[in-house]
Amino acid sequence: MKTLLFVDDEPRVLQGLQRQLRPMHTVWDMYFLENGSKALEFMATRPVDIIISDMMMPGMDGSQLLTEVLRRHPQTVRIVLSGHAERESVLRLVGPAHQYLSKPCDADELRKAIARAFALRDLLENERLKQLTTRINNLPSLPALHSQLTEELRQDSPSMERVGEIISRDIGMTAKMLQLVNSAFFGLAQPISTPMDAVTYLGLNTIRSLALSMAIFSQYDQKTCKAFSLDALARHSWITGKLARTVAQVERQSTQFREQCFLAGMLHDTGQLILAFELQDEYAAVISQARMQNVPLWQAEQQSFGASHADVGAYLLALWGLPNPIIEVVAMHHQPARCAAAEFSPAVVVHAADVFAHELSGAETEVTPPPLDTAYLATLGFAERIETWRDACREAIEP
Ligand SMILES: [Fe+2]
Ligand SMILES: [Fe+2]
């Protein structure tokens, strides 16, 4: 049975949660505690799968508690359940919390968020990868973009457009912005799927304090994994996003669909960044193994870790609460036929764009380029379209 721990200093809130979640007691083992120290004491005695904490509490607040949980029990999923008045202070939690829910939260919404987090934990089977991914609270950024952003934000009147443009070129910054704006905390009816919209929505002042005082973006140290180049990955991701948008355009898809394709293309290889950053030497060995055996990188990862960068990336972004269509693309970009619905979707588009990006720009990231699943494209009725897509992509790349 999965274990859940709720922490809130108001007894009324705890009682309410207890009542709302009573029907779940046959499947979840639930505990309700009134402060952070009790929660930490409890966690020292038994493993907890998900902790759901209030934000404003006397003594140890939610931010301090979750930071400590992150340090002592990195495998635990961390969710904040907080009131709207506390919006500013919740921003401090961008690091230690995976997701934010706002109070009052109806039982159904809460049950769904918890069930989704549990389902995710079963998605990635490798315990070690699960643990190291759950521990991550931000993805490193390209040093050049990081300093461009800092410089722009230090100006007297920074340009919103320029800030959005810099963020949209970086995998880590893009993922973080979307995690933040898509949290249930902000109560958006429609998920935001472009970094530019995220910047506009949060406003420059908030972004400035997140980036400058709270340092939510960190820089990548090229020395961490020598066989891996974040520069090359960033270039490849940007081109894949651009080509995905091109293919969607050729198929006359809506603006929203096209932007989703761009974003998903930008994030599709997030897992590579995680593995290079967290496993360093081990990942360098996998890269050279792929090179020696002449197999796509994801297959070599599968052999060594029992999971690929697609699984790891999808797990992290899902944990961060990014919109479902994006997660599906990240998870399925090498094997779109595994998608639940056999239809023309961003997953199909990004799969093709990824392959074209390798063909057309000779990306150095994946040693043996991933093959195009032409059989699957044919079952969807797009066999005749492949050459048209490729031509449009070639045009989009060559100036
Ligand atoms: Fe990939
Ligand atoms: Fe790729």
Side-chain angles (χ1 to χ4, degrees):
M1 191 138 55
K2 309 271 193 199
T3 304
L4 272 117
L5 175 59
F6 292 87
V7 189
D8 202 307
D9 60 311
E10 278 181 65
R12 233 171 5 99
V13 174
L14 285 184
Q15 282 155 14
L17 286 168
Q18 223 158 348
R19 202 175 42 244
Q20 283 182 336
L21 297 169
R22 193 160 294 142
M24 305 306 292
H25 83 273
T26 48
V27 275
W28 297 340
D29 203 3
M30 294 176 278
Y31 297 86
F32 301 84
L33 297 172
E34 65 272 26
N35 63 51
S37 354
K38 282 197 178 159
L40 290 174
E41 262 168 45
F42 178 86
M43 292 180 81
T45 64
R46 56 174 306 165
V48 166
D49 294 288
I50 303 187
I51 179 168
I52 297 153
S53 172
D54 183 26
M55 177 64 203
M56 305 293 251
M57 295 185 287
M60 187 187 300
D61 69 16
S63 165
Q64 288 164 320
L65 171 60
L66 295 187
T67 305
E68 206 42 41
V69 170
L70 165 64
R71 203 178 62 79
R72 297 189 200 178
H73 312 283
Q75 74 287 359
T76 301
V77 173
R78 306 170 296 272
I79 297 179
V80 164
L81 182 60
S82 175
H84 267 292
E86 301 153 15
R87 171 172 165 158
E88 275 305 308
S89 47
V90 160
L91 290 175
R92 274 201 298 139
L93 278 169
V94 180
H98 290 119
Q99 279 181 51
Y100 317 84
L101 300 172
S102 58
K103 274 199 283 201
C105 180
D106 71 45
D108 220 36
E109 197 185 325
L110 187 58
R111 265 201 302 269
K112 265 196 243 145
I114 297 170
R116 201 172 51 162
F118 279 142
L120 276 173
R121 296 192 69 70
D122 300 331
L123 202 82
L124 185 61
E125 276 168 23
N126 180 315
E127 274 307 318
R128 185 167 151 248
L129 289 184
K130 204 189 290 188
Q131 174 151 352
L132 70 87
T133 309
T134 314
R135 186 174 67 198
I136 294 174
N137 56 28
N138 58 21
L139 292 167
S141 299
L142 274 175
L145 289 174
H146 189 269
S147 52
Q148 277 174 32
L149 181 74
T150 314
E151 209 173 289
E152 184 67 33
L153 289 172
R154 286 213 174 106
Q155 308 262 334
D156 291 335
S157 47
S159 142
M160 187 92 100
E161 216 172 353
R162 176 110 180 89
V163 169
E165 154 85 17
I166 297 170
I167 291 177
S168 69
R169 284 187 169 263
D170 189 76
I171 301 169
M173 294 188 210
T174 296
K176 191 86 235 174
M177 289 306 286
L178 290 159
Q179 174 194 19
L180 188 56
V181 291
N182 285 306
S183 66
F185 185 78
F186 289 108
L188 297 169
Q190 277 289 323
I192 282 187
S193 54
T194 78
M196 194 60 223
D197 288 345
V199 169
T200 316
Y201 181 76
L202 289 176
L204 279 174
N205 282 338
T206 302
I207 306 235
R208 190 188 266 146
S209 78
L210 287 171
L212 303 182
S213 355
M214 295 180 231
I216 62 161
F217 304 132
S218 62
Q219 290 188 49
Y220 186 77
D221 179 357
Q222 192 54 63
K223 290 194 282 298
T224 31
C225 179
K226 289 202 185 67
F228 171 85
S229 155
L230 181 55
D231 257 310
L233 183 67
R235 237 184 347 263
H236 165 66
S237 305
W238 174 257
I239 293 174
T240 303
K242 234 173 101 162
L243 299 187
R245 194 195 262 147
T246 306
V247 171
Q249 198 157 6
V250 170
E251 292 305 319
R252 300 177 190 283
Q253 296 295 318
S254 67
T255 315
Q256 200 204 354
F257 187 101
R258 295 202 298 255
E259 288 315 310
Q260 221 163 48
C261 286
F262 176 78
L263 177 71
M266 190 63 204
L267 297 177
H268 78 285
D269 279 334
T270 302
Q272 288 187 30
L273 176 54
I274 299 171
L275 293 172
F277 189 59
E278 293 289 324
L279 296 176
Q280 310 185 4
D281 296 346
E282 223 176 309
Y283 197 48
V286 172
I287 296 175
S288 61
Q289 184 194 331
R291 210 162 267 154
M292 258 156 45
Q293 297 178 349
N294 244 321
V295 293
L297 190 50
W298 68 271
Q299 283 173 9
E301 293 162 356
Q302 194 82 44
Q303 284 169 24
S304 297
F305 306 132
S308 73
H309 65 261
D311 305 317
V312 176
Y315 181 68
L316 179 81
L317 297 178
L319 208 53
W320 283 13
L322 262 68
N324 279 338
I326 306 293
I327 313 288
E328 183 176 52
V329 175
V330 177
M332 311 297 178
H333 73 271
H334 305 120
Q335 299 159 289
R338 285 174 55 215
C339 287
E343 60 185 16
F344 185 78
S345 67
V348 173
V349 175
V350 172
H351 166 68
D354 183 23
V355 176
F356 296 151
H358 283 283
E359 283 178 11
L360 299 169
S361 71
E364 317 97 276
T365 52
E366 288 182 44
V367 219
T368 303
L372 188 64
D373 191 344
T374 42
Y376 183 62
L377 288 172
T379 58
L380 296 180
F382 286 94
E384 312 285 301
R385 304 292 293 154
I386 299 174
E387 272 324 300
T388 314
W389 294 353
R390 192 178 265 121
D391 289 343
C393 287
R394 190 173 294 117
E395 234 168 81
I397 279 190
E398 283 161 9

